[in-house]
Amino acid sequence: MKQRVAVIGAGPGGLACAMLLAGRGVDVTVYEKQPIVGGRTSRVQVGDYQFDRGPTFLNAYAAYSRKSFYEYRSKTE
């Protein structure tokens, strides 16, 4: 019997998971509460304007790393 999996969320992680599982022959169904896919990497439109929702999660580590670096640097000078 073929395996069936439900992936909740069509953001980058959910889509990557679904793609990898489907590549292994698993029957995958992706569920997303928004009318579009992309999660934090999607876009929202307000009137004539469009705004990217991300990629805050991709830059979060860099932001924390810089803060830590500057705090460390100021303590050592």
Side-chain angles (χ1 to χ4, degrees):
M1 177 179 264
K2 190 172 185 179
Q3 289 182 320
R4 296 176 59 196
V5 172
V7 175
I8 310 301
L15 293 175
C17 179
M19 179 188 68
L20 292 170
L21 288 169
R24 293 183 179 188
V26 177
D27 184 14
V28 180
T29 302
V30 179
Y31 293 95
E32 173 59 48
K33 69 179 177 177
Q34 302 297 328
I36 56 173
V37 299
R40 290 185 179 227
T41 60
S42 64
R43 185 179 305 174
V44 63
Q45 185 164 346
V46 179
D48 293 335
Y49 300 96
Q50 296 180 358
F51 302 94
D52 290 335
R53 291 187 181 183
T56 55
F57 70 100
L58 295 174
N59 294 328
Y61 178 76
Y64 292 126
S65 296
R66 279 193 294 262
K67 181 179 177 187
S68 298
F69 172 75
Y70 290 126
E71 288 175 358
Y72 174 76
R73 184 176 171 192
S74 64
K75 290 178 184 178
T76 59
E77 290 179 347

